[in-house]
Amino acid sequence: MIYHIKVPATSANIGPGFDSIGIAWNLYLHIHVKAEPQKDDINIVNKNKINNDLFIKAFYETINYINKKPSNYTIELWSEIPIGKGLGSSASAIVGGIYTAEIITNTYLTLYDKLNIALKFENHLDNISAAINGGINICLKNEKEIYITKLPINYDFWGLLYIPDYYLSTQEARNILPQNYKREDVVFNLQKFGMLISGLLQKDENLVKMGLDDKIHQPYRFKLIKEYPLLSKEVEKYGKKIVLSGAGPSLLILLFNEQEALEILKKLENNLKEAIKGEFKLLKIEHNGITIEKFN
Ligand code: HSE
C-alpha cells in the first residue's frame, strides 16, 4: 500500500493579522509512504533538504500519543518549500509528521488532538491551520481556547513573493518586538484586520488593500529586510502594498488578477534584478489543506 501526502506552504500574518491568519499556497512538502512488510522498521528518507528533524519529532510524538506499534514503512520526504524564509516549512513538516503517524497506525485523532501535538513544536497556529485546512484560516489560542476556522472563500488569488537569499529565524524576528503596545496602535490593527477580512470575504481588492497596514510587528521587522524600502517603493508604482510573509524575510504582494500578477512579476524581475538578490515567485492560493492519496 502506498500513500502520497502533500502539505502546502503557508504565509502567516498578512499585515495586521499578527499570529492570527494564514494562507495556503500551491507549493508543497511531499511525503511518500510505502508499506514494507518484509522490513523490520520504519525508514525515513530525506530526498532533499527539508525540516526532516521536525517531521521526525512530530511523527514520533504522534506515534507515542497513539501508543500503537506501527507496521513497517518507508517514508520518503521531499519539499518545494524553502526553509527559513517565512513560508511555513516548519508547519508543513509538523503537520506532515502528525498525519503520517495517524495514517500508518490506522488511527483517527481529533483535530484538537492534532493541534495540541502541533503546538508542542510550533507555538503559532497561523501556519499550522492553513497547512491543515488550506485556503485562508483564522486561528485562536489563549490560556483557555484553541480553535481554527477557515474563511468561506472559493475564488482564486495570487501571492507574488520576493524570497531573499538569506534566512531569518522566527525567534529573532519575535525577539525584536515590543512587549507592550499603545492603545491607538492596537485599535489601528483591529480596524485594519476587520477591513482585511471583510475585503477578502467580498473579494473587494480596495478594501483588502486598505486592510493591509500594521503597527504591531511589521514596522520592527521590516528593518531586518534590507530590500524592503526599494521593493515597496517599486510596488507602490503599481498601486500595490507589500506585507511580510509570516515573520519574513519573504515579502508578499496579494493580487486578484492572474494577468496583472504576471505583468507585475515581469516588471519586478526586469527593474530590480540588478539591485536585489533572491528570487520572485508567483504562487496561487491552495484551497485544499493537507491531502492524502492512497494507491494499492
Ligand atoms: N505569526 C508568526 C510570527 C509566524 O509572526 O512570528 C511565524 O510562525
Side-chain angles (χ1 to χ4, degrees):
M1 196 161 0
I2 293 176
Y3 297 94
H4 187 78
I5 303 168
K6 265 171 48 177
V7 196
T10 49
S11 289
N13 299 333
I14 322 299
F18 179 60
D19 280 355
S20 303
I21 184 169
I23 297 181
W25 301 117
N26 64 339
L27 194 71
Y28 307 94
L29 163 66
H30 297 268
I31 305 158
H32 195 72
V33 183
K34 192 172 165 213
E36 304 267 23
Q38 71 285 9
K39 293 198 174 159
D40 61 1
D41 208 356
I42 293 171
N43 185 20
I44 300 179
V45 185
N46 209 7
K47 304 280 273 190
N48 71 354
K49 210 171 158 291
I50 68 147
N51 279 335
N52 191 14
D53 204 36
L54 269 176
F55 176 92
I56 292 172
K57 283 184 183 156
F59 175 77
Y60 282 108
E61 181 74 26
T62 313
I63 296 278
N64 288 341
Y65 180 79
I66 291 169
N67 198 18
K68 197 158 135 188
K69 185 173 165 10
S71 320
N72 300 318
Y73 283 86
T74 292
I75 300 169
E76 289 179 347
L77 309 169
W78 68 100
S79 187
E80 302 161 2
I81 309 171
I83 296 175
K85 303 288 172 109
L87 280 164
S89 64
S90 304
S92 69
I94 294 164
V95 168
I98 295 170
Y99 278 77
T100 303
E102 201 183 21
I103 286 164
I104 72 169
T105 51
N106 202 12
T107 304
Y108 173 76
L109 294 177
T110 65
L111 178 61
Y112 185 74
D113 285 334
K114 289 190 275 245
L115 292 180
N116 268 316
I117 296 173
L119 282 168
K120 293 187 179 176
F121 301 97
E122 173 146 312
N123 202 21
H124 318 293
L125 277 181
D126 38 14
N127 293 101
I128 297 280
S129 60
I132 290 177
N133 280 340
I136 306 179
N137 283 260
I138 312 293
C139 64
L140 171 71
K141 182 185 170 279
N142 56 41
E143 317 78 60
K144 292 190 188 144
E145 302 157 298
I146 296 176
Y147 201 76
I148 63 176
T149 181
K150 183 174 178 178
L151 295 188
I153 282 175
N154 52 21
Y155 62 86
D156 288 336
F157 62 87
W158 287 263
L160 176 46
L161 283 133
Y162 167 63
I163 307 174
D165 65 345
Y166 51 87
Y167 308 104
L168 181 59
S169 89
T170 302
Q171 203 47 54
E172 185 189 344
R174 291 187 84 81
N175 287 348
I176 59 163
L177 302 181
Q179 286 298 327
N180 299 297
Y181 293 94
K182 288 194 294 206
R183 183 196 301 180
E184 61 256 39
D185 289 349
V186 175
V187 171
F188 178 94
N189 264 58
L190 286 170
Q191 294 177 342
K192 290 287 180 176
F193 193 53
M195 293 296 156
L196 174 63
I197 301 303
S198 179
L200 287 168
L201 289 172
Q202 298 179 66
K203 201 184 174 190
D204 180 333
E205 198 178 338
N206 290 326
L207 210 49
V208 169
K209 188 179 168 196
M210 193 190 290
L212 286 177
D213 304 303
D214 159 72
K215 290 194 177 182
I216 300 281
H217 70 118
Q218 294 190 156
Y220 309 95
R221 289 172 160 178
F222 279 147
K223 292 180 189 144
L224 301 174
I225 299 156
K226 57 184 189 300
E227 299 84 356
Y228 172 73
L230 186 63
L231 202 59
S232 67
K233 214 164 143 197
E234 182 70 21
V235 164
E236 247 172 59
K237 290 186 204 161
Y238 319 136
K240 307 296 172 198
K241 277 184 188 161
I242 287 188
V243 293
L244 274 176
S245 177
S250 295
L251 299 169
L252 168 68
I253 308 159
L254 288 184
L255 296 160
F256 291 79
N257 176 295
E258 187 173 20
Q259 193 52 38
E260 184 189 35
L262 288 165
E263 283 165 18
I264 294 180
L265 170 66
K266 212 161 155 190
K267 282 185 196 160
L268 288 175
E269 282 176 338
N270 287 336
N271 298 350
L272 298 180
K273 70 169 175 272
E274 303 298 331
I276 59 177
K277 289 186 183 154
E279 63 165 331
F280 291 99
K281 215 175 184 66
L282 188 58
L283 300 177
K284 188 173 161 185
I285 183 172
E286 169 56 88
H287 294 287
N288 295 311
I290 182 166
T291 55
I292 299 156
E293 274 182 285
K294 185 176 170 189
F295 307 92
N296 279 314

